[in-house]
Amino acid sequence: IERAEREAAGADVVVWLMDGTAPRLEWPTESLPRSRLIVAINKSDAMAGRGPGQAGGALPLPLISCRTGAGLT
C-alpha cells in the first residue's frame, strides 16, 4: 500500500475503480491527489437492480464494465 501511495503521489493521473457489486464502495484515501483523480464504478453489467444513485450516491460517477466494454468509449 505504501508503494502504491508513493507512485500515486507522482502520477499524472490516478484511476480509482470501485466494484459496483460490492456491498460497500471503497472510496479513495485522502492521501491521493484529488486534482488528478478519476473515479469510476466497474462491473456495471453485474449491478442487477442497482442504478448509479445506489452505487455512487449523488456523485456523477461513470459506470463501466471491463468485461463488456460498456462505458469505456
Side-chain angles (χ1 to χ4, degrees), residues 56-70:
L59 299 175
L61 297 176
L63 295 175
I64 65 168
S65 170
C66 290
R67 185 174 152 265
T68 68

Side-chain angles (χ1 to χ4, degrees), residues 9-70:
D12 292 332
V13 175
V14 176
V15 178
W16 185 273
L17 287 178
M18 294 186 283
D19 182 346
T21 63
R24 185 174 151 286
L25 296 177
E26 294 294 328
W27 293 91
T29 64
E30 292 297 321
S31 65
L32 292 177
R34 298 287 188 234
S35 62
R36 297 172 287 157
L37 184 63
I38 297 172
V39 180
I41 298 176
N42 189 29
K43 299 186 181 178
S44 63
D45 58 300
M47 292 171 53
R50 293 178 70 185
Q54 292 164 309
L59 299 175
L61 297 176
L63 295 175
I64 65 168
S65 170
C66 290
R67 185 174 152 265
T68 68

